[in-house]
Amino acid sequence: MVANTLPSQFENFADARKQGFLAIKDLKDEGKKVAGVFCGYTPIEVILAAGAVAVGLCAFSDETIPEAEKVLPRNLCPLIKSSYGFAITEKCPYMYFSDLVVGETTCDGKKKMYELLAEIKNVHVMQLPQSQGDEASKELWYKEVLRLKERVEKDFGVVITDDNIKKAIKIKNEERKLLKEFYELSKACPPPITGAEQLKVLYGAQFKFDYEAKNKELRSVIDKVKQGYANGVENVSKTAKRIVITGCPMAGITEKVVTAIESSGGVVVAYENCSGVKSVDRLVDECIDPYKAIADRYLQIP
């Protein structure tokens, strides 16, 4: 077995997550608008096309749940209580710096949270249809994408041109292609990277807000891992049990699940969950009306 020579960029992505709060503050100081988002259904391209920054909001710690339970029912989903708790305690810098919070009606608990959140933050809620395949649902979601565009333009004082939205689509598509290529490195047996290393990049990429620079860095990471593997570098045992993680979103605090698996002789090769491969599996069609294309792509998320 050749010694481990994994690229240093793995730690760069981990550091991006740690330094994300400061990065957002710096962007705000530069005059950038920030849109906080909760879910993979939010069309990030619309936010990027407005020259704004999209950032996921904190919801992966039980620290703020007691405060949220003073308002929300105790038996409500912990993810929702955590999200609301971070908002009312102002312990999430991403929430604090958000000029607009974009929600979506994925469940009744979230709907109630958005009502309460609107009392303290600028909130826009997208009405997600209850099905994906029929024409009425597709038309509803298309109109919701346009409604988000209008709200972003109004609140951020900008006009999103066709060139803006098409450029944003290309940038996000390129990021998805790269993340999918990186993700699928683990199809190899043994995989060239551990699940923990994979998670560093997949999760840390959310906190790199310069998309063009991020895409170049992703390309570099992929090429170096492939080169190392071709040269015989092995970081995972051939006998390691291959594990898929599914279910709720994965974040920093849930790395303990990956650690438990991989310290016991397994290797996580796929994150088939809310924030895993579903977010990068499909591209936005660049050859049709951009807003129709965005609506079609996001509505097809499983």
Side-chain angles (χ1 to χ4, degrees):
M1 179 182 290
V2 179
N4 185 327
T5 57
L6 284 173
S8 60
Q9 285 99 326
F10 276 88
E11 293 307 321
N12 290 345
F13 279 91
D15 289 341
R17 187 184 75 200
K18 298 172 186 176
Q19 301 299 323
F21 296 160
L22 295 176
I24 281 291
K25 182 182 183 302
D26 289 343
L27 288 168
K28 285 287 291 184
D29 289 344
E30 294 170 11
K32 282 275 189 180
K33 296 293 186 180
V34 176
V37 303
F38 285 103
C39 183
Y41 284 109
T42 304
I44 301 300
E45 290 84 350
V46 175
I47 296 166
L48 296 183
V53 177
V55 63
L57 297 174
C58 308
F60 298 106
S61 168
D62 60 3
E63 176 188 356
T64 62
I65 287 179
E67 284 301 313
E69 287 179 342
K70 293 178 181 179
V71 180
L72 299 173
R74 290 176 60 86
N75 64 349
L76 198 62
C77 165
L79 191 71
I80 296 170
K81 290 189 291 186
S82 176
S83 299
Y84 184 67
F86 272 111
I88 60 175
T89 60
E90 295 190 339
K91 289 184 176 181
C92 174
Y94 298 131
M95 177 70 80
Y96 178 81
F97 286 121
S98 290
D99 301 288
L100 178 67
V101 174
V102 183
E104 73 308 311
T105 56
T106 46
C107 73
D108 288 343
K110 276 190 173 182
K111 293 176 189 177
K112 175 51 66 176
M113 181 188 72
Y114 296 143
E115 289 179 17
L116 298 172
L117 195 57
E119 297 176 3
I120 57 174
K121 294 295 295 186
N122 185 30
V123 176
H124 177 85
V125 180
M126 300 186 73
Q127 303 297 325
L128 193 67
Q130 297 298 300
S131 63
Q132 296 172 308
D134 62 275
E135 291 304 315
S137 295
K138 292 178 182 179
E139 183 64 18
L140 170 61
W141 190 239
Y142 168 63
K143 289 180 178 178
E144 285 299 293
V145 172
L146 293 179
R147 193 168 67 88
L148 175 65
K149 170 186 177 288
E150 293 167 359
R151 178 66 179 271
V152 168
E153 288 180 322
K154 175 178 176 291
D155 286 16
F156 293 175
V158 298
V159 174
I160 299 175
T161 66
D162 283 349
D163 285 344
N164 294 150
I165 195 67
K166 288 176 181 177
K167 181 180 179 181
I169 288 171
K170 284 184 179 294
I171 290 173
K172 277 297 293 181
N173 272 349
E174 181 64 19
E175 181 197 31
R176 291 185 186 107
K177 290 175 187 175
L178 290 165
L179 286 172
K180 186 175 182 180
E181 184 179 351
F182 173 76
Y183 187 92
E184 291 184 343
L185 292 173
S186 291
K187 285 183 174 181
C189 191
I193 55 175
T194 67
E197 289 158 345
Q198 187 186 95
L199 186 61
K200 282 181 181 179
V201 174
L202 293 175
Y203 187 54
Q206 300 175 46
F207 302 96
K208 286 181 174 284
F209 305 113
D210 183 334
Y211 277 82
E212 293 181 353
K214 172 169 58 177
N215 288 346
K216 289 179 181 178
E217 193 169 356
L218 284 169
R219 180 74 267 161
S220 176
V221 169
I222 293 166
D223 290 345
K224 288 183 179 180
V225 172
K226 284 183 173 180
Q227 185 61 52
Y229 200 65
N231 291 339
V233 174
E234 291 185 10
N235 299 295
V236 179
S237 169
K238 289 183 174 69
T239 61
K241 300 297 183 183
R242 299 169 64 86
I243 306 297
V244 173
I245 292 182
T246 187
C248 64
M250 290 294 290
I253 197 168
T254 46
E255 287 175 352
K256 61 186 179 182
V257 177
V258 183
T259 301
I261 291 169
E262 299 194 329
S263 64
S264 302
V267 57
V268 177
V269 295
Y271 296 96
E272 196 285 319
N273 52 2
C274 183
S275 56
V277 69
K278 294 176 182 180
S279 63
V280 300
D281 190 48
R282 291 173 174 81
L283 303 179
V284 175
D285 190 335
E286 297 180 21
C287 298
I288 63 174
D289 172 81
Y291 296 100
K292 281 282 188 184
I294 289 170
D296 290 346
R297 184 266 170 192
Y298 280 89
L299 190 58
Q300 293 309 309
I301 295 174

